[in-house]
Amino acid sequence: MELIPNQRHLFDIPDDVAYLNVATMGPLPLAASAAGQRGLARKLRPWTIPDTDFFTDTQRLRPLLAQLVGADEAGIAFVPSASYGLAVAAQNVPVARGQKILLLADQFPSNVFTWIDLAARTGAEIKTVGSKGNQTLSDALIEAIGPDTGIVACPQVRWTDGAKIDLVTVGARCCEVGAALVLDLTQSCGAMRFDVSEVQPDFLVAAGYKWMLGPYATAFLYAAPHRRTGRPLEQNWINREGAADFSRLIDYNDAFAPGAERYDMGERSNFALLPALEAAVRQILDWGIDRIEATLAHQNRALADALLELGLGVMLETERGPHYLGARLPANAPSDLTARLKAENIYVSKRGDRLRITPHLFTSENDIARFLEALRKHIG
Ligand SMILES: Cc1ncc(COP(=O)(O)O)c(C=O)c1O
């Protein structure tokens, strides 16, 4: 596959900034920022905003979001955060007293608290899965799924260390035992291939501000066809049939619009954020997720080798997300390493004992050389 050449010119990243921290927050492409500013400016003159604008941005965006995960557009809903989407899922997947809700060890808190709360309300039990010995995290999860499993809630890659989960096998196993599958793709959507038809999740969510390169407070939810008649978190006006006819809203037609639109949040038609998200998603689809994945895999392969030489522990490529490096720091690493790197305009993050290094298509060879040089200085 042809790799994507460096795309720094599409971002506002100065030459002397090594931004290796997309896992915390992806930078907006310049085009997305411009689209967002044009969108926000519409409200300087509200009288120029036609009623149809409450519907057109979301109509254009729904099929684009669907494309990111191989879904049909009727399965997509607009939500403000991963946690909101997870709350919708928790409200609509059945679980019985005594059944297990399977989570990964060290999973992201939004995707843990949601299930602790559901377990407390239903009498279900949380079971946290970690890997033992040489077993991969993915194999440990697959092994843990059994007849007593009610729900599996997991990501495609774990946010701390990038450990990859074989979701095709997890999906098949959930199907065998009749468990619901809820996915948080926040740390992979936009950078790693995923297809709902291969995994068959009940629900999936992804926040838009990381690998989708969108603005903060944008996210989407996908609901499987058999989960599109559930109960939304809130009762609003815009996700109802006939909502476009403003003069008839006081007829209180409570029938929902078809598909997953019933789960759309209130004020989903965000005039500033949605155009920016649309531009970012169009850029990602333009590059192509397969090519993004292959290019980041290529970049990170070389970087992983260099990190190993410096004594950092890096997971095998077969066991991690190709776009994601969570390197275990050696014992002599200073506790303020990320602050020291930041002082040199090098941005990475630390989660647990892992240094999270997540470059993207804007990362230059100079960025990587400066990062490795700085690591050599601080822990070499
Ligand atoms: C795996 C994962 N899920 C979700 C989020 C964000 O969650 P929310 O949109 O609920 O703030 C993050 C942020 O770091 C994350 O790493």
Side-chain angles (χ1 to χ4, degrees):
M1 185 179 308
E2 204 188 322
L3 301 184
I4 304 169
N6 191 278
Q7 300 291 307
R8 185 114 160 186
H9 58 287
L10 300 180
F11 294 86
D12 185 30
I13 304 175
D15 284 346
D16 63 348
V17 170
Y19 189 70
L20 313 173
N21 202 12
V22 177
T24 296
M25 185 166 288
L28 269 186
L30 287 162
S33 169
Q37 287 174 46
R38 283 193 302 274
L40 183 63
R42 280 191 274 182
K43 195 151 181 308
L44 289 168
R45 301 183 167 192
W47 60 90
T48 66
I49 302 177
D51 290 351
T52 47
D53 276 18
F54 282 90
F55 301 91
T56 43
D57 286 352
T58 48
Q59 268 160 15
R60 276 199 316 278
L61 199 40
R62 230 182 275 270
L64 301 177
L65 295 169
Q67 265 188 63
L68 292 176
V69 290
D72 58 323
E73 70 177 277
I76 302 297
F78 290 92
V79 294
S81 62
S83 40
Y84 184 109
L86 290 165
V88 173
Q91 182 155 284
N92 288 288
V93 286
V95 67
R97 176 170 293 280
Q99 274 194 313
K100 304 278 187 293
I101 301 176
L102 263 49
L103 311 177
L104 300 180
D106 299 338
Q107 192 156 285
F108 188 74
S110 298
N111 201 11
V112 173
F113 291 130
T114 304
W115 306 109
I116 291 177
D117 177 61
L118 182 68
R121 285 188 283 115
T122 57
E125 286 168 30
I126 301 289
K127 185 169 163 186
T128 303
V129 180
S131 53
K132 288 175 229 97
N134 286 333
Q135 194 181 34
T136 64
L137 184 65
S138 184
D139 286 345
L141 178 63
I142 291 159
E143 193 182 288
I145 301 170
D148 62 349
T149 307
I151 300 170
V152 176
C154 71
Q156 190 172 19
V157 300
R158 184 163 62 179
W159 72 305
T160 48
D161 58 359
K164 179 170 72 176
I165 304 298
D166 171 3
L167 291 180
V168 174
T169 308
V170 168
R173 192 75 191 108
C174 284
C175 187
E176 269 165 34
V177 302
L181 178 60
V182 179
L183 300 175
D184 173 9
L185 299 192
T186 299
Q187 288 294 4
S188 54
C189 187
M192 212 176 147
R193 200 180 166 280
F194 176 87
D195 197 306
V196 293
S197 66
E198 294 167 2
V199 178
Q200 308 268 343
D202 290 71
F203 287 97
L204 81 74
V205 298
Y209 71 96
K210 295 176 189 280
W211 299 94
M212 287 166 60
L213 307 177
Y216 197 63
T218 60
F220 76 95
L221 171 77
Y222 163 80
H226 66 292
R227 298 286 180 215
R228 295 177 191 169
T229 52
R231 210 171 138 240
L233 273 196
E234 36 170 283
Q235 300 295 326
N236 71 55
W237 66 274
I238 203 165
N239 56 6
R240 310 283 170 165
E241 254 171 28
D245 185 354
F246 288 7
S247 67
R248 298 200 52 198
L249 289 177
I250 48 171
D251 289 348
Y252 304 113
N253 178 4
D254 65 356
F256 287 112
E261 193 173 336
R262 66 175 51 220
Y263 302 123
D264 279 0
M265 64 184 178
E267 297 197 18
R268 69 168 196 211
S269 311
N270 191 313
F271 299 113
L273 298 186
L274 292 190
L277 180 64
E278 180 180 335
V281 172
R282 281 191 191 282
Q283 178 62 77
I284 284 169
L285 294 172
D286 229 43
W287 286 323
I289 292 186
D290 285 355
R291 288 176 73 217
I292 295 173
E293 180 177 326
T295 307
L296 297 183
H298 176 79
Q299 281 178 201
N300 285 342
R301 207 167 289 139
L303 178 53
D305 289 345
L307 292 172
L308 278 170
E309 260 174 46
L310 281 171
L312 284 85
V314 181
M315 224 179 276
L316 291 174
E317 192 180 335
T318 49
E319 294 178 15
R320 61 172 172 80
H323 60 300
Y324 214 103
L325 290 170
R328 195 184 295 281
L329 287 165
N332 63 333
S335 58
D336 62 346
L337 179 61
T338 52
R340 291 191 197 189
L341 293 172
K342 188 173 166 187
E344 297 180 41
N345 256 344
I346 299 167
Y347 297 85
V348 291
S349 40
K350 199 173 162 200
R351 295 293 178 270
D353 63 351
R354 300 273 176 172
L355 196 63
R356 212 169 50 163
I357 308 148
T358 45
H360 209 278
L361 299 175
F362 47 74
T363 305
S364 67
E365 281 174 21
N366 183 46
D367 293 339
I368 299 297
R370 283 205 317 115
F371 170 55
L372 291 172
E373 191 50 44
L375 275 186
R376 245 171 244 126
K377 186 168 73 187
H378 295 301
I379 62 177

